[in-house]
């Protein structure tokens, strides 16, 4: 089992920056990648970013590329999502997830999920 706990969400204004964190614990030895997804009311869960656990290779969704950055701190067993130039359409619940397989952009390929953290961007 892998436990994931997100934190750092909140209310910000358009153009602001925010960093959300994911604390990772449990049996992480067979984790292939860590990912961030978001879900707004009435919309499907959207892939935001992912990082492979061993090599650190990164992947980004088209809607956040060049604005968001995924990173990790192996010593702290934490994964971060730095969000810059935030827009009202970035408003959503942001989820951290652990993937034991490939295809990092597909939510169904992830085995463990956190409870989510709300990010609200006002115009």
């Amino acid at each position: 089992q892998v436990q994931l706990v997100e934190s750092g969400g909140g209310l910000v204004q358009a153009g602001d920056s925010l960093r959300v964190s994911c604390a990772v614990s449990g049996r992480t030895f067979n984790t292939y990648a860590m990912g961030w997804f978001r879900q707004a009311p009435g919309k499907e869960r959207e892939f935001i970013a992912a990082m492979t656990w061993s090599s650190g290779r990164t992947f980004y969704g088209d809607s956040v590329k060049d604005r968001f950055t995924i990173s990790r701190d192996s010593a702290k067993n934490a994964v971060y999502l730095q969000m810059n130039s935030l827009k009202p359409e970035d408003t959503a619940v942001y989820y951290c997830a652990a993937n034991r397989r490939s295809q990092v952009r597909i939510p169904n390929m992830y085995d463990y999920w956190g409870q989510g953290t709300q990010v609200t961007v006002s115009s």
Side-chain angles (χ1 to χ4, degrees):
Q1 291 284 343
V2 176
Q3 292 80 42
L4 307 171
V5 180
E6 301 96 334
S7 61
L11 172 64
V12 297
Q13 293 187 334
D16 285 352
S17 297
L18 190 67
R19 189 179 80 161
V20 291
S21 303
C22 176
V24 184
S25 62
R27 298 169 61 86
T28 61
F29 64 91
N30 59 350
T31 296
Y32 174 76
M34 296 297 300
W36 285 97
F37 290 79
R38 68 186 181 190
Q39 189 163 20
K43 295 188 176 182
E44 293 187 353
R45 195 160 292 193
E46 178 188 7
F47 170 74
I48 299 301
M51 174 180 280
T52 57
W53 198 245
S54 59
S55 68
R57 183 182 177 189
T58 57
F59 305 81
Y60 292 95
D62 290 339
S63 63
V64 304
K65 196 173 183 180
D66 299 328
R67 295 190 299 126
F68 290 11
T69 303
I70 187 172
S71 64
R72 66 181 177 185
D73 186 330
S74 298
K76 295 182 178 180
N77 259 6
V79 180
Y80 306 100
L81 183 68
Q82 176 68 41
M83 302 181 287
N84 298 328
S85 302
L86 282 161
K87 306 174 182 180
E89 50 264 43
D90 294 319
T91 295
V93 177
Y94 283 71
Y95 296 93
C96 173
N99 178 322
R100 293 186 296 177
R101 296 163 275 185
S102 57
Q103 302 181 56
V104 298
R105 299 175 183 271
I106 302 175
N108 288 345
M109 292 293 108
Y110 286 76
D111 304 283
Y112 303 100
W113 293 82
Q115 82 289 349
T117 186
Q118 176 71 47
V119 173
T120 303
V121 184
S122 64
S123 57

